Amino acid sequence: MRRFERKEVPEVLSKTVYGKPRWEEFGERYAQNRVKNNSFAFQWPQIEGKKLNQLLLPDLMAMTEKHCSYCDGFPLKRGDDTIDHFHPKTHPAYYQEVCKWENLYIACKHCQDSKGSQFEMALLRPDAIDYEFYRFFIYDYNSHILLPNPQALEEEKASAEATIRIFDLNHISMCISRRHAFERFRKDEEPFLSDYNFRFMFDD
């Protein structure tokens, strides 16, 4: 998980509709439908004939330079460019955040499938002001696994452990892909960092 800076709320979400930001209107509408029918399935609202997720993808991808927000996988293939709801849209406490900008993250299929509707308060956000990779994690360059930083505070270790587990960041396929990226980086005479996945391996 590599830190990125979240940009301002896009106008497509902040625009006032019926006296409130559009994202609030969408959230309230979804919450009302879920209360009436607990099995109501969320569908992205349409704005001028285009689905909201398609309108948001360019901004979300720009923030991460087209990398997965969670594992930093790159490049995102068809089916990988999905939007994750950090606070699950199926949890009653978060119904109204279904279109909230700060709750939306671009995610690869691995991270989306691994997380599903799971959520724990300890889970780390890559755009949190106080998040830095080496504050919470260490990287083993031999096994290519992520580990909680042994020097971190206990609550920080718990956050690292929850993040690794929920996103399955040490799945064997992840470790192999990170090894390949590391080996490629070492051989590259003029590496362009944005073209690499798992860039946290190379950050100072």
Side-chain angles (χ1 to χ4, degrees):
M1 184 179 284
R2 188 174 193 256
R3 189 180 188 285
F4 68 86
E5 181 180 349
R6 185 166 290 268
K7 305 302 182 184
E8 292 296 318
V9 183
E11 185 179 358
V12 70
L13 291 178
S14 64
K15 184 176 180 179
T16 301
V17 179
Y18 304 122
K20 62 188 66 176
R22 185 180 266 151
W23 70 265
E24 282 192 27
E25 174 66 24
F26 290 149
E28 289 181 5
R29 190 184 309 167
Y30 173 66
Q32 290 168 4
N33 285 321
R34 288 288 297 197
V35 170
K36 292 177 184 177
N37 178 7
N38 191 48
S39 62
F40 179 83
F42 173 73
Q43 293 187 354
W44 289 101
Q46 290 203 7
I47 299 174
E48 297 179 357
K50 195 164 186 178
K51 287 188 176 181
L52 179 59
N53 58 326
Q54 296 301 316
L55 296 172
L56 294 175
L57 275 173
D59 288 322
L60 288 169
M61 295 183 77
M63 289 192 301
T64 64
E65 297 182 275
K66 300 183 179 179
H67 291 65
C68 174
S69 300
Y70 302 125
C71 72
D72 203 53
F74 177 87
L76 294 173
K77 303 179 288 296
R78 182 180 299 173
D80 278 344
D81 56 349
T82 51
I83 297 178
D84 176 63
H85 292 81
F86 188 79
H87 288 153
K89 59 183 179 291
T90 54
H91 194 296
Y94 307 123
Y95 287 165
Q96 296 192 352
E97 296 186 21
V98 72
C99 292
K100 186 177 182 180
W101 177 239
E102 292 80 6
N103 195 44
L104 307 177
Y105 293 81
I106 189 75
C108 69
K109 190 174 188 302
H110 172 89
C111 289
Q112 274 270 42
D113 289 349
S114 298
K115 179 173 179 281
S117 59
Q118 296 183 84
F119 176 72
E120 295 179 16
M121 294 302 295
L123 196 61
L124 291 168
R125 289 177 178 264
D127 57 333
I129 294 175
D130 62 348
Y131 174 76
E132 294 295 342
F133 178 81
Y134 285 107
R135 175 182 173 185
F136 294 90
F137 302 98
I138 60 171
Y139 187 74
D140 187 321
Y141 288 89
N142 293 313
S143 63
H144 295 280
I145 65 172
L146 297 176
L147 296 166
N149 185 341
Q151 304 300 318
L153 299 174
E154 289 304 314
E155 63 182 25
E156 294 172 343
K157 292 178 186 177
S159 288
E161 289 169 355
T163 302
I164 291 168
R165 170 171 44 82
I166 288 176
F167 290 109
D168 200 10
L169 296 178
N170 284 332
H171 186 279
I172 184 62
S173 65
M174 285 281 180
C175 296
I176 292 173
S177 293
R178 288 195 288 256
R179 175 171 60 83
H180 289 168
F182 180 66
E183 291 173 350
R184 175 188 159 213
F185 185 83
R186 288 197 303 176
K187 296 176 182 177
D188 198 337
E189 293 183 0
E190 296 183 4
F192 180 56
L193 193 58
S194 291
D195 277 350
Y196 282 83
N197 46 10
F198 318 123
R199 293 168 294 174
F200 49 79
M201 292 190 294
F202 316 119
D203 289 334
D204 294 327

